[in-house]
Amino acid sequence: MQIVLASKNKKKIQELKRILGDLSIELLSLDNFPNLGEIVEDGYTFEENALKKARYVKQKTGLPALADDSGLEVEALGGRPGVFSARYAGEHASDEENIKKLLMEMREIPEDKRQARFVCCIALVLPNEEEKVFWGYVNGKITMEPRGNSGFGYDPVFVPEGYTLTFAEMPLEEKDRISHRRIAIDKLKQHLVKFTQLYKQNLS
Ligand code: IMP
């Protein structure tokens, strides 16, 4: 069975291929459909963005489609940057610029009030219009200064609960094991195991 991931991000495609590797699924991506055009992420929630991308790709390809949206929510900022995480300091802002803006906004917030969480929402849209979303969260705290060079995005300022290192100070495999994305992908996988079994039964 083929499923299209609505992404061109090589790391995301490889991660999903690794985790779903033991299922009888051929994972395609937007690289297999170069003429689909850009999908604008203009929703106000992670779910809206993920569903919008998956619906579009399902409609254009006629195949089951997957899409994700993720970001950082800071309690003291009322959930910001949230869906605007990638472009918090401006449309084409770098990770460093986004972190700088975040730390500046949080400069008065003491250590015990710096709770935050990473959120990942994955949407699966099937050709029969069936839709399902899977969520992953990882709770933690925002540091006063960036620390570490690994990972991407807000990793240098996020310490997950139960740890003292930031995501950017941890080995990548350790982050991948506990991340919001991993939790959402594991839920997706459980669903796909059932789905591929049903699919095979229907074919036989
Ligand atoms: P995307 O929608 O998955 O591409 O992620 C949107 C933005 O959220 C990224 O550009 C990052 O700024 C932030 N983000 C999402 N996941 C992570 C993570 O695991 N570490 C650090 N930043 C992240």
Side-chain angles (χ1 to χ4, degrees):
M1 188 181 63
Q2 293 182 313
I3 297 186
V4 190
L5 176 64
S7 177
K8 284 183 185 164
N9 182 319
K10 297 262 178 301
K11 280 190 187 168
K12 278 189 191 172
I13 300 165
Q14 287 315 325
E15 182 183 29
L16 206 57
K17 275 192 176 161
R18 264 198 323 274
I19 298 172
L20 303 182
D22 52 341
L23 301 183
S24 44
I25 286 174
E26 186 188 350
L27 191 70
L28 307 176
S29 70
L30 294 186
D31 290 335
N32 299 94
F33 300 93
N35 300 322
L36 283 196
E38 279 300 306
I39 310 166
V40 183
E41 292 189 23
D42 54 2
Y44 285 96
T45 64
F46 296 112
E47 186 169 336
E48 262 180 69
N49 280 335
L51 277 170
K52 180 181 178 186
K53 288 187 279 184
R55 283 174 187 150
Y56 177 81
V57 171
K58 188 271 316 181
Q59 193 211 335
K60 293 283 180 191
T61 63
L63 292 169
L66 278 173
D68 79 331
D69 195 28
S70 60
L72 178 73
E73 292 182 338
V74 178
E75 206 175 294
L77 300 179
R80 275 186 288 130
V83 287
F84 303 106
S85 293
R87 51 204 149 108
Y88 197 40
E91 205 44 51
H92 301 290
S94 64
D95 289 343
E96 289 72 25
E97 288 165 339
N98 286 331
I99 286 177
K100 200 171 158 197
K101 174 169 178 184
L102 183 76
L103 291 181
M104 173 63 89
E105 288 194 330
M106 294 182 70
R107 65 193 180 284
E108 307 283 342
I109 300 172
E111 293 214 9
D112 61 338
K113 298 227 164 23
R114 298 175 75 90
Q115 289 84 353
R117 65 179 186 178
F118 275 122
V119 182
C120 175
C121 176
I122 300 181
L124 171 67
V125 176
L126 302 180
N128 67 1
E129 310 289 322
E130 225 176 279
E131 299 184 341
K132 192 120 183 80
V133 291
F134 306 89
W135 293 92
Y137 300 96
V138 53
N139 292 322
K141 279 193 165 185
I142 302 299
T143 54
M144 305 299 280
E145 295 291 335
R147 297 189 333 237
N149 302 307
S150 163
F152 72 102
Y154 298 90
D155 281 348
V157 291
F158 184 83
V159 176
E161 218 166 73
Y163 291 77
T164 50
L165 299 179
T166 65
F167 263 168
E169 291 174 311
M170 285 181 187
L172 260 186
E173 307 79 60
E174 179 70 359
K175 180 197 162 188
D176 282 351
R177 203 176 58 75
I178 62 168
S179 79
H180 47 308
R181 213 174 334 277
R182 182 56 193 259
I183 293 167
I185 293 177
D186 281 347
K187 290 182 187 166
L188 164 75
K189 183 171 181 178
Q190 282 172 25
H191 180 79
L192 287 177
V193 167
K194 283 186 258 158
F195 180 65
T196 48
Q197 280 163 356
L198 277 176
Y199 182 77
K200 273 191 217 155
Q201 279 167 15
N202 286 339
L203 286 183
S204 60

